[in-house]
Amino acid sequence: MADPVPATALQMRSLVTPDQTVELSLASVEVPTPGPTEVLIRVEAAPINPSDLGILLARADVLSATIVGPSDSPVVTMPLPDAVMRLMAGRVGISMPIGNEGAGTVVAAGSAPAAQALLGKTVAAAAGGGMYAQYRCVDAMFCLELPVGTPAIEGASSFVNPMTALCMVETMRRENHAALVHTAAASNLGQMLNRLCVSEQIPLVNVVRRPEHEDMLRSAGAAYVCNSAAPRFAADLTAALKETSATLAFDAIGGGRLASQILACMEAAASTSGGSTYSQYGSAVHKQVYIYGSLDPGPTELTRNFGFGWGVGGWLLTTFLGQIGLEGIARLRSRVAAELTTTFASTYTGEVSLAGALTLDALTAYSRQATGQKYLMRPDL
Amino acid sequence: MADPVPATALQMRSLVTPDQTVELSLASVEVPTPGPTEVLIRVEAAPINPSDLGILLARADVLSATIVGPSDSPVVTMPLPDAVMRLMAGRVGISMPIGNEGAGTVVAAGSAPAAQALLGKTVAAAAGGGMYAQYRCVDAMFCLELPVGTPAIEGASSFVNPMTALCMVETMRRENHAALVHTAAASNLGQMLNRLCVSEQIPLVNVVRRPEHEDMLRSAGAAYVCNSAAPRFAADLTAALKETSATLAFDAIGGGRLASQILACMEAAASTSGGSTYSQYGSAVHKQVYIYGSLDPGPTELTRNFGFGWGVGGWLLTTFLGQIGLEGIARLRSRVAAELTTTFASTYTGEVSLAGALTLDALTAYSRQATGQKYLMRPDL
């Protein structure tokens, strides 16, 4: 706390250039003085989430990277294919800061009581990016004060994944479903959702792709785990859907036929539940899949062999938060704070410094997005 | 009106047999005596809608038909492929009547005043199938009395298409969209929707597949017509979407990439509307496509290059009617009655008798579902 705040500090940047490259670098920027309601955070830990990778890498292939410059200030350049370049049209020439969330120590604060109250405290924050930096100035209202003694690392992922898990459950309730399906269920988020559903006694059907992930989730109390790579997948999933009556799925994968398979199994589960007569339009049960990630960026293929009571759509945390409003957000955030080291705990595969993140080894490791692996940015290292 | 009601009469039937065929025939059934609130209709005209073809043909290929029996009582048999047979599992062994709607003369009525009031009148009815028959007994509440002097033919299609067109507009309003997109827009339904939107001053983007259909709709007052077979389709559609701010589409085709293209063009229109900064999640505008038909039964392919604010789903008239309730239905039905020969008029390519419908020539003609072509069943011929 006694460390003097420097005049300038490092901030990671990603720039798509007109000549079809993306350039990653560390900019030396002026450290801002907090406005009346703001606090200056010395960032100590920020997770590398898929949403951060989207901005950082601009869909470039890290294997094509060339890196120049000194090891404490490397510049990474990667070419962008035509198709990707079209998608990036809106950000050409804009040097973008990165990092949706993180945690650290408040080293300066504005005059407002809410800001002053945080001085010297360890806080987590999510406020529109820019946490991959040594210092970040944010409004005090976006900060979550961590319990005394909690290291910044434990609060780094206190927003994106916890709020996503909670909002999946909120969506389920608002749209009158009784249970959930989740794909890529062995991810950090998936494990969190599993703990949340176990504690709330919400039936959750976990879909994974590897046997070891089945075991891991079952050890964590999951009652339903289906392996999409197993030959019995359709039968297993249908049985689980019938038992749970789950008619809502959240899919992190996006591409391919998984969403379609889930809808078809939901329809099969609804049709065998008996009582209804034949209809060419299928069961009267509404079946919904929300795609919230894009681990497979290929097209989503829907075979439409599941009647007419179905929907598939994009799902975005920020859009949903807009729907539940400030009061709803506050309620969810206080729940996160109370269970940060239990229900909403995250684990990390490795840590990288700002400069260390811009090496080929590190880029290759954290860009892989292997299920259950997550890296932590440590701007203080 | 003075014709005596016979003891038995003909009713068309479709039966999926355990040995993987579908069998079409004319059953001789007892003519029922109406219950207190029922009326007996001598059916004079019933349209052959896609929904009727679904039940009648059970997705069989009419070119594989063999027809036996006398010309006034033919029996058509068509084999069903394995994949189709699986979809038909729920109706094997059930001899199904066909015909969702139709019109004719009330020749007998129950004792209730509502039933008695219809005696001798020409009525249109839609009440759960079975209108491809010489006589059909239905509850008086399902009947729409046609204005005096209106021939039954003009009331035959007074339910499915008019209510679908009206409910598309209702859906638009309930889900807060400002304008509509419709595919297969040159169909009878499409022409009806165009007239409805012209009269209500709702911007409608008509998507067709042939130049002659463009002209036809423009002559009928359509301001926006885009040809999906034209090289300029994406540019034309985006321009029309930008002008109209249409963010809701009804798609009759289902298979292929058209739904995805529409979403991508909606996103392009939203993104060029200016004001917003770059987001990897796309625009904040919610874009929706409802698939209500399946002219292309192949898979729907979504490229997901339209951000995260999107939905695709099945849309079914009966489900929607359940949402707006009896009062809503009554309101829409009286509008249909008032504009049956104007906004909601249908035209027919040809007429077939019950027995005439079961000939190879007729089957081939009406099963083609060519845009703008529609056949009329005439059980009184």
Side-chain angles (χ1 to χ4, degrees):
Chain A
M1 262 172 56
D3 287 357
V5 175
T8 63
L10 297 176
Q11 186 186 59
M12 192 177 286
R13 294 288 185 86
S14 174
L15 170 69
V16 172
T17 66
D19 56 332
Q20 288 199 209
T21 67
V22 58
E23 198 180 282
L24 317 183
S25 62
L26 300 180
S28 178
V29 297
E30 204 173 312
V31 176
T33 303
T37 63
E38 292 181 329
V39 298
L40 182 69
I41 303 170
R42 188 180 63 221
V43 183
E44 287 147 28
I48 304 180
N49 290 322
S51 48
D52 300 311
L53 287 172
I55 296 286
L56 182 70
L57 303 177
R59 303 199 191 193
D61 177 4
V62 297
L63 296 179
S64 67
T66 53
I67 305 180
V68 298
S71 67
D72 63 344
S73 186
V75 175
V76 179
T77 304
M78 296 176 283
L80 296 176
D82 289 353
V84 169
M85 197 63 193
R86 275 194 294 277
L87 294 173
M88 301 298 152
R91 57 174 282 196
V92 172
I94 302 165
S95 180
M96 300 183 76
I98 311 123
N100 281 316
E101 63 179 337
T105 307
V106 174
V107 294
S111 55
Q116 282 294 318
L118 295 174
L119 196 59
K121 303 285 171 60
T122 303
V123 298
M131 295 301 287
Y132 295 176
Q134 291 177 308
Y135 292 87
R136 175 77 162 94
C137 197
V138 304
D139 198 285
M141 72 178 287
F142 296 127
C143 292
L144 181 71
E145 186 182 337
L146 300 181
V148 175
T150 308
I153 289 178
E154 289 191 12
S157 294
S158 69
F159 188 79
V160 178
N161 279 353
M163 292 298 268
T164 300
L166 284 166
C167 287
M168 286 174 171
V169 169
E170 291 283 311
T171 300
M172 180 196 81
R173 292 189 175 127
R174 285 164 73 102
E175 301 186 6
N176 298 312
H177 299 274
L180 283 173
V181 181
H182 187 224
T183 74
S187 65
N188 250 300
L189 170 61
Q191 296 178 50
M192 207 176 271
L193 183 65
N194 181 52
R195 288 192 296 269
L196 178 61
C197 287
V198 167
S199 82
E200 303 236 332
Q201 298 184 286
I202 295 165
L204 171 68
V205 180
N206 296 278
V207 177
V208 300
R209 290 167 290 184
R210 294 192 192 165
E212 61 266 34
H213 291 156
E214 292 184 62
D215 300 339
M216 186 262 285
L217 283 165
R218 285 212 177 85
S219 308
Y224 304 96
V225 189
C226 300
N227 185 339
S228 62
R232 283 186 45 81
F233 176 59
D236 287 350
L237 181 58
T238 304
L241 293 170
K242 204 174 161 185
E243 271 188 55
T244 58
S245 298
T247 46
L248 173 63
F250 283 92
D251 174 38
I253 295 170
R257 289 193 170 197
L258 186 56
S260 192
Q261 268 185 297
I262 292 169
L263 290 169
C265 292
M266 284 177 177
E267 178 69 2
S271 307
T272 56
S273 295
S276 62
T277 53
Y278 171 79
S279 163
Q280 66 176 325
Y281 301 115
S283 77
V285 174
H286 182 79
K287 306 160 291 287
Q288 180 71 38
V289 176
Y290 284 118
I291 296 177
Y292 75 94
S294 199
L295 292 175
D296 176 349
T300 309
E301 199 178 313
L302 305 173
T303 51
R304 301 202 321 289
N305 57 336
F306 32 73
F308 273 76
W310 63 276
V312 173
W315 190 91
L316 196 58
L317 177 60
T318 47
T319 305
F320 186 79
L321 292 177
Q323 286 165 20
I324 65 172
L326 287 178
E327 215 171 320
I329 295 171
R331 176 171 52 82
L332 300 184
R333 291 225 70 174
S334 51
R335 166 128 196 219
V336 173
E339 300 173 36
L340 195 54
T341 59
T342 54
T343 312
F344 302 111
S346 289
T347 56
Y348 303 95
T349 312
E351 299 183 348
V352 285
S353 65
L354 288 178
L358 301 186
T359 62
L360 195 56
D361 281 357
L363 279 165
T364 309
Y366 62 70
S367 70
R368 199 182 295 126
Q369 300 187 56
T371 302
Q373 298 206 354
K374 187 180 282 290
Y375 285 77
L376 197 61
M377 192 74 75
R378 294 284 309 274
D380 59 334
L381 293 185
Chain B
M1 259 172 56
D3 287 357
V5 175
T8 63
L10 296 177
Q11 185 185 61
M12 192 177 286
R13 293 289 185 87
S14 174
L15 171 68
V16 172
T17 66
D19 55 334
Q20 288 201 206
T21 67
V22 58
E23 197 179 284
L24 317 183
S25 63
L26 300 181
S28 179
V29 297
E30 204 173 313
V31 175
T33 303
T37 62
E38 292 181 330
V39 297
L40 182 68
I41 303 170
R42 188 181 65 220
V43 184
E44 287 147 28
I48 304 180
N49 289 322
S51 49
D52 301 310
L53 287 172
I55 297 287
L56 182 71
L57 303 177
R59 303 200 191 193
D61 177 3
V62 296
L63 295 178
S64 67
T66 54
I67 305 180
V68 297
S71 67
D72 63 345
S73 187
V75 175
V76 179
T77 304
M78 296 175 282
L80 295 176
D82 289 352
V84 169
M85 196 63 192
R86 275 194 295 277
L87 294 174
M88 300 298 151
R91 56 173 283 195
V92 172
I94 302 166
S95 180
M96 299 183 77
I98 310 124
N100 280 316
E101 62 179 339
T105 307
V106 174
V107 293
S111 55
Q116 282 294 318
L118 294 175
L119 196 58
K121 302 286 170 60
T122 304
V123 298
M131 295 301 288
Y132 295 176
Q134 291 177 309
Y135 292 87
R136 174 78 164 93
C137 196
V138 302
D139 198 286
M141 73 178 285
F142 295 128
C143 293
L144 181 70
E145 185 182 339
L146 300 182
V148 175
T150 308
I153 289 178
E154 288 191 13
S157 294
S158 69
F159 188 80
V160 178
N161 279 352
M163 292 298 267
T164 300
L166 284 166
C167 287
M168 286 173 171
V169 169
E170 291 283 311
T171 300
M172 180 196 82
R173 292 190 174 127
R174 284 165 73 101
E175 301 186 5
N176 297 312
H177 298 275
L180 284 173
V181 180
H182 187 223
T183 73
S187 65
N188 250 302
L189 170 61
Q191 295 178 49
M192 206 175 272
L193 182 65
N194 182 51
R195 288 192 297 268
L196 178 61
C197 288
V198 166
S199 82
E200 303 236 333
Q201 299 184 287
I202 295 165
L204 170 69
V205 179
N206 296 278
V207 177
V208 300
R209 289 167 290 183
R210 295 191 191 166
E212 61 266 34
H213 291 155
E214 291 183 62
D215 299 339
M216 185 261 284
L217 283 165
R218 285 213 177 85
S219 308
Y224 304 95
V225 189
C226 300
N227 185 337
S228 62
R232 285 187 45 81
F233 176 58
D236 286 349
L237 180 59
T238 304
L241 293 170
K242 205 175 160 184
E243 272 189 54
T244 58
S245 298
T247 47
L248 173 63
F250 283 93
D251 174 38
I253 295 171
R257 289 193 169 198
L258 186 56
S260 193
Q261 268 185 297
I262 292 169
L263 291 169
C265 291
M266 284 177 176
E267 178 70 2
S271 307
T272 56
S273 295
S276 62
T277 53
Y278 171 78
S279 163
Q280 64 176 324
Y281 300 116
S283 76
V285 174
H286 182 78
K287 305 159 292 287
Q288 180 71 39
V289 176
Y290 285 119
I291 295 177
Y292 75 95
S294 200
L295 291 176
D296 176 349
T300 309
E301 200 178 312
L302 305 172
T303 51
R304 301 202 320 291
N305 57 335
F306 31 73
F308 273 76
W310 63 276
V312 173
W315 190 91
L316 196 59
L317 176 61
T318 47
T319 306
F320 187 79
L321 291 177
Q323 286 165 19
I324 65 171
L326 287 179
E327 214 171 321
I329 295 171
R331 175 170 54 82
L332 300 184
R333 290 225 72 173
S334 50
R335 166 128 196 219
V336 173
E339 300 173 36
L340 196 53
T341 58
T342 53
T343 313
F344 302 111
S346 288
T347 55
Y348 303 96
T349 312
E351 297 184 348
V352 285
S353 65
L354 287 177
L358 301 185
T359 62
L360 195 56
D361 280 356
L363 279 164
T364 309
Y366 63 69
S367 70
R368 200 181 293 128
Q369 299 189 55
T371 302
Q373 297 205 355
K374 187 179 283 288
Y375 285 77
L376 197 62
M377 192 74 76
R378 293 285 309 274
D380 60 334
L381 292 186

